Structures are given as structure tokens and as C-alpha cells.
Amino acid sequence: MKKAWRICWLALVLLFIYVPVLILAAFSFTDANMVGGAVSGFSFDNYINLFKNSELRAMIFGTVALALVSAAIATVLATLGAIGSFYSKKLPKTLLNSANQIPVVNADIVTGFSICILLIVIMRVDKDTFIPLGLGHVVLSAPFVYLSILPKLKQMDNSLYEAALDLGATPAQALFKVVIPQLIPGILSGFMLAVTLSLDDYFVTTYTKPSTFDTISTYVVNATKGSQTEVKTALWALSTLIFLIVVVTVVVMNVLAGRRKEDSK
């Protein structure tokens, strides 16, 4: 009975999470003007409009480019920070770990507003450049990448680095040929998490973006306030594609991780 209740509870939780997404995906293949509205037939018009609309194409390209660039910078900084923290003495390590926790537990709106004040108000950085926006997304995602890499460092044999030095490797060679290869799974997981955080962020982007630039999150919020039905329904298609891409990526990563474990045995 306990096992049956656990299965039922898990099924209810999964239904609560995924049914709204599946309903939206289903309506993206119809000619309805609103979710739950009248449907007269099956249609690919929303997907055609998504790629036909130049404004939507520019918004998607800009969002993906921002996510990839900011995630790459955040991953490099977080990897170096995690390695430096791991090999530091107890006090510096504790201070770095504690400082890393602050952006994680802090509200996004506070992070975005703080970056806006620091860069735009105090340092007089032009908001119409991408500097505040890029730095904002790096600050947002780097602590999460740090947390993805740290467990891999703890699982690693501490003597590997010292053994490489004893065998004649320079510190740089030991770092790039011994330590970092051991961290690849954590680095990739952190990078994907940083990309997801950047794609999803609204508050930091709102406070730091140039006035003429929109990401998916800010564009969706503005579009839902307007009356352009064609744009709104095209965003259903965009949401469905993002969901499918995430599902495929997660499945592929899990399959590759499983194969790596089998190979290691």
C-alpha cells in the first residue's frame, strides 16, 4: 500500500508539472486564438509565423547568443574559482563558499537592481551597450556553475595534482591535463545550467538590457500585454520547441552519463 501511495503521489506531482506544458503544446498545433478557446482544425501556422516573423527571429537569436556567451564566461570564472577555493586553506575556502551562496539565495530582482545601480548609476556605464546585461547574466549564473563543479572536485583524488607535479609536469600542465579533465561532467552540467538560467531570466534582464533589445522572457511579458494574437500564438510554438529541446538534451546527457559509468566499470 505504501508503495502504491508513493506511485500515486509521484504521478500527481508529475501531472501538475507537465500537464499545463502539454496542453500548451497541443494548442500550438491548432488555429485557436487562446488556450482553451475554440479549435476548428489542426495547423502549423504558429510554427510558420514563428520563423517567418523577423522580429521574433532576431529576438530568439539574440537570446541564444546572450545565453551562450554569458554561460561560457560564467563557466570559466566559476571553474577557476572552484579550483582555487578547493585548494585554498580553510579560512579563504569558507569565505569563498559563503560569498558564493549569497547570489544563489538572493532574489533575482535584488541582483538586477544592484547591478543596475553599480554599473549604470555609479560607474556611468551606458545602458544602451550590452556590458551591464552581459555582466548581470554572468553574476546570475556563475554561482550555480561553481556549485556544479565543487562536488566533482570533492570526488577527485587530491593526490593526482601533486603526483603530476612530481612526475615533471608544470602547474599549468597539471591543471589542464589532470585536474580539469576530471571536472568535465561538472563543467558541462554547470554550463547547461547557466544557459538555462540566462534563457529564463527576466528581472536581471529587465534592469540591465538596452532599450532596443529583448530576450524571450521580456518579449513574452510585453507580448502578453499587447493585442497581437499572431505573435502570442507563435510564442506557444516557441515554448513547445524550448521544452522539446530541453527534454532531448536531458535524455542525451543521461544516456551519455550512463555509458560513461559502464565504460568505467
Side-chain angles (χ1 to χ4, degrees), residues 79-89 92-94 96-97 146 150 153:
T79 301
L80 296 176
I83 293 172
S85 169
F86 183 74
Y87 287 105
S88 296
K89 294 182 180 178
K93 181 186 295 187
T94 303
L96 282 171
N97 289 336
Y146 179 98
L150 207 56
L153 280 164

Side-chain angles (χ1 to χ4, degrees), residues 42-239:
F42 182 85
S43 174
F44 282 107
D45 288 346
N46 293 329
Y47 291 87
I48 294 172
N49 292 333
L50 176 63
F51 294 103
K52 215 163 108 181
N53 190 312
S54 59
E55 185 180 356
L56 289 175
R57 286 202 311 270
M59 177 268 296
I60 295 170
F61 176 79
T63 303
V64 173
L66 172 65
L68 292 175
V69 172
S70 63
I73 297 172
T75 301
V76 172
L77 294 177
T79 301
L80 296 176
I83 293 172
S85 169
F86 183 74
Y87 287 105
S88 296
K89 294 182 180 178
K90 186 175 181 181
L91 180 59
K93 181 186 295 187
T94 303
L95 291 175
L96 282 171
N97 289 336
S98 300
N100 186 76
Q101 295 293 337
I102 295 174
V104 173
V105 300
N106 202 13
D108 286 356
I109 190 170
V110 176
T111 302
F113 193 58
S114 301
I115 293 170
C116 177
I117 292 175
L118 175 64
L119 295 179
I120 299 172
V121 178
I122 298 177
M123 299 181 66
R124 302 291 182 181
V125 176
D126 188 0
K127 190 181 178 182
D128 287 331
T129 65
F130 286 92
I131 294 174
L133 178 61
L135 290 178
H137 279 238
V138 170
V139 170
L140 174 71
S141 56
F144 293 92
V145 182
Y146 179 98
L147 292 176
S148 298
I149 296 171
L150 207 56
K152 292 298 178 182
L153 280 164
K154 292 179 180 178
Q155 294 171 9
M156 187 181 67
D157 187 352
N158 292 340
S159 61
L160 288 175
Y161 179 77
E162 295 176 359
L165 296 179
D166 291 339
L167 292 171
T170 64
Q173 288 174 331
L175 175 64
F176 287 103
K177 293 185 178 181
V178 177
V179 177
I180 290 182
Q182 300 289 323
L183 308 179
I184 292 298
I187 292 173
L188 290 177
S189 298
F191 177 78
M192 293 304 300
L193 180 58
V195 170
T196 304
L197 288 169
S198 178
L199 292 173
D200 183 60
D201 178 71
Y202 173 75
F203 291 108
V204 173
T205 305
T206 299
Y207 283 111
T208 57
K209 74 179 185 69
S211 57
T212 57
F213 180 79
D214 268 313
T215 61
I216 292 174
S217 58
T218 58
Y219 189 91
V220 167
V221 171
N222 294 330
T224 53
K225 294 178 182 177
S227 57
Q228 297 180 357
T229 304
E230 186 178 292
V231 172
K232 290 180 182 179
T233 55
L235 292 174
W236 302 350
L238 176 60
S239 301

